[in-house]
Amino acid sequence: MRGWWWREFSSLVLPMACGGCGAPRTQLCGRCGDALYGAAARWARPRPEPVGLPAVYAAAAYAEQVRAVLLAHKERGTLGLAGPLGVALAGAVRAAVGRPPGGAGTLLLVPVPSSRRTVRARGQDATRRMALAAARELRRTGTRAAVLSVLSQRRAVADQSGLTASQRLSNLAGALQAPAGAARLLAAGRPVLVDDLMTTGASLAEAARAVRAVFPGVDAAGTAAAAAGAGTTAAERLCAAVVAVPPLSFGPSK
């Protein structure tokens, strides 16, 4: 993608500063790393909650250092931050599926897609890059994981900033799609929707709708074993993981 090679090169030769607080000579300082992934991921819910939203777990509150790190990676192209963000996202994925490192089965991380216009403007697909880093972290700690980029935008949507929760739902309704052949791919493991940030939940609810449209059995048979007749539980249904949510979105422990 345009510009990505320059960002990769510049990250090697230019002086580094912490993406969270600006401390010199480090890409992410210990204090900001603790804010990002130092605590256990938690269940989160927006208020109001959109219909069809799967269970969502988040690694951190979207505030201060965490907000700065996400914006540095997504908007300013600080590509090296994909690694720490992937560590945070991997923790949220484990919490979402209720599985410790090394659990059986393959986790299929399904990124919520950005528009082609946004990807071109940024010079990278920030969410997919972060998902790939999360999959590497999961594999490093003994859990089979892969990124499955089966969702795409089927129509243009308006900029979400400044829209209310209900306007965001209307803006995104029917905006995502997955090809018919995605069902076979999704059935090969445990699908988990992933994104960097959840605010109103509209994007994740639409992504869940698009997955269910091509794979109606995802909630009843979220794993290949369950599809073969081993049964399923609520913990094996479609779920989602994000790096951060607004502080008020965190609910009580489940």
Side-chain angles (χ1 to χ4, degrees):
M1 293 176 186
R2 184 183 63 193
W4 71 267
W5 61 270
W6 168 248
R7 288 170 179 162
E8 293 279 16
F9 175 74
S10 63
S11 68
L12 297 175
V13 300
L14 296 179
M16 285 192 299
C18 174
C21 66
R25 296 187 296 278
T26 180
Q27 194 158 248
L28 189 70
C29 72
R31 186 169 66 93
C32 293
D34 284 343
L36 183 62
Y37 48 69
R42 292 184 285 163
W43 172 63
R45 226 53 180 171
R47 300 175 178 85
E49 178 184 331
V51 174
L53 183 69
V56 181
Y57 281 75
Y62 187 61
E64 299 176 347
Q65 303 105 311
V66 173
R67 180 192 296 113
V69 170
L70 281 168
L71 291 176
H73 175 249
K74 182 163 63 175
E75 304 295 346
R76 297 199 298 277
T78 309
L79 303 184
L81 291 174
L85 288 167
V87 172
L89 183 59
V93 169
R94 290 192 196 97
V97 301
R99 182 183 302 176
T106 300
L107 300 182
L108 303 174
L109 309 190
V110 181
V112 175
S114 300
S115 69
R116 292 187 182 94
R117 181 180 66 252
T118 298
V119 172
R120 284 196 302 269
R122 292 174 178 162
Q124 64 152 337
D125 188 334
T127 305
R128 186 172 186 274
R129 180 182 287 270
M130 188 181 63
L132 288 168
R136 287 194 297 271
E137 174 65 14
L138 288 164
R139 292 192 297 269
R140 186 189 69 80
T141 53
T143 296
R144 293 195 297 274
V147 174
L148 192 58
S149 299
V150 294
L151 296 178
S152 63
Q153 289 201 331
R154 63 189 301 180
R155 62 169 176 81
V157 297
D159 186 349
Q160 294 277 86
S161 60
L163 299 183
T164 65
S166 61
Q167 288 171 334
R168 290 188 178 205
L169 285 171
S170 298
N171 184 41
L172 291 173
L176 300 182
Q177 64 181 354
R184 177 178 57 82
L185 299 174
L186 290 163
R190 173 76 188 280
V192 183
L193 299 172
V194 296
D195 207 351
D196 61 343
L197 174 67
M198 179 182 72
T199 52
T200 66
S203 296
L204 286 171
E206 171 58 17
R209 182 209 60 77
V211 167
R212 290 167 177 141
V214 295
F215 187 26
V218 68
D219 286 315
T223 65
T232 187
T233 68
E236 290 176 318
R237 295 172 186 161
L238 184 63
C239 58
V242 298
V243 172
V245 295
L248 291 177
S249 294
F250 280 118
S253 301
K254 294 187 72 177

